[in-house]
Each structure stands twice: as structure tokens, then as C-alpha cells.
Amino acid sequence: NRMLATDLLTELGFDVTAVENGQKAVETFAGSETGYFTLILMDIRMPVKDGIEALKEIRLLGREDATLPVLALTGDAAGESGTDYRSEGFDNVMVKPFRKMTAEGLLDRYI
């Protein structure tokens, strides 16, 4: 999924930084220059640290850019988990597998 998302986003003209787990997501954001990232796509289910915990840690970093838009990536199309990802701090949800037009439209709202 990470490779497919990276390919799609690159095709749409985005510079992509992809990491393999939630802990790496926090470390990568924390180690970046302020303002380097303009949006984060955070998979909900990742090894080491899930997307919800990673987002909470990013928001608590105290950086001015820690309020950037973060979209949840999930395969939970029917909402079977009952989780409202917006109440968890995500700005919106992108359901996998996503299509180019859907991704482009949603990303355009935040960038």
C-alpha cells in the first residue's frame, strides 16, 4: 500500500517522504525543518506505533507546524471499527484503495 500510494502521489506531482511505521513517522516529522511538510497521510494500522498514537505524538511536539493537516488512511470503508478518525485528531479520511481522482480532489482541499 505504501508503494502504491507513493507512486500515485508522485504521479500527481507531490514530493513524498514514506516511512514504514508510526514511530518512524514521528521521528521523521520531529527531525524535519519547521514547515518542511505541508500534509501527512497517516495509515491507521502500522507496525511499532499505529497512526492514531503517531498523530497524537506529532500534535504534542509543540512545533508551530504540528497543526498541519493529517489525513487518515484506512481500509475500513464501511466504518466497521466504529472509529471516528476526526475525533482522534485527523482532518479527514482517505479510504484504501483510493483512486487517482478521489485522492487528487481530497488533497487539493488541504494543499
Side-chain angles (χ1 to χ4, degrees):
N1 281 325
R2 182 175 65 244
M3 288 175 27
L4 293 172
T6 298
D7 289 347
L8 173 65
L9 294 170
T10 301
E11 184 179 319
L12 291 172
F14 293 98
D15 290 327
V16 178
T17 301
V19 297
E20 61 274 8
N21 63 61
Q23 183 61 42
K24 288 278 191 187
V26 174
E27 292 169 0
T28 300
F29 182 80
S32 69
E33 291 184 31
T34 301
Y36 180 79
F37 292 104
T38 55
L39 177 101
I40 295 174
L41 299 177
M42 183 80 71
D43 202 322
I44 295 299
R45 293 190 178 149
M46 292 184 288
V48 183
K49 185 174 296 197
D50 70 27
I52 294 170
E53 285 303 312
L55 174 59
K56 288 177 184 176
E57 287 188 27
I58 287 171
R59 296 285 196 224
L60 291 172
L61 288 173
R63 294 169 46 150
E64 65 182 64
D65 62 343
T67 60
L68 80 166
V70 179
L71 307 182
L73 295 177
T74 181
D76 189 14
E80 296 166 5
S81 70
T83 302
D84 175 6
Y85 296 113
R86 288 187 184 121
S87 71
E88 295 287 352
F90 290 91
D91 294 281
N92 213 322
V93 177
M94 189 178 295
V95 178
K96 300 181 291 184
F98 47 90
R99 308 225 186 311
K100 184 177 179 180
M101 284 181 29
T102 304
E104 192 171 27
L106 186 58
L107 295 171
D108 281 347
R109 283 195 251 169
Y110 294 97
I111 296 179

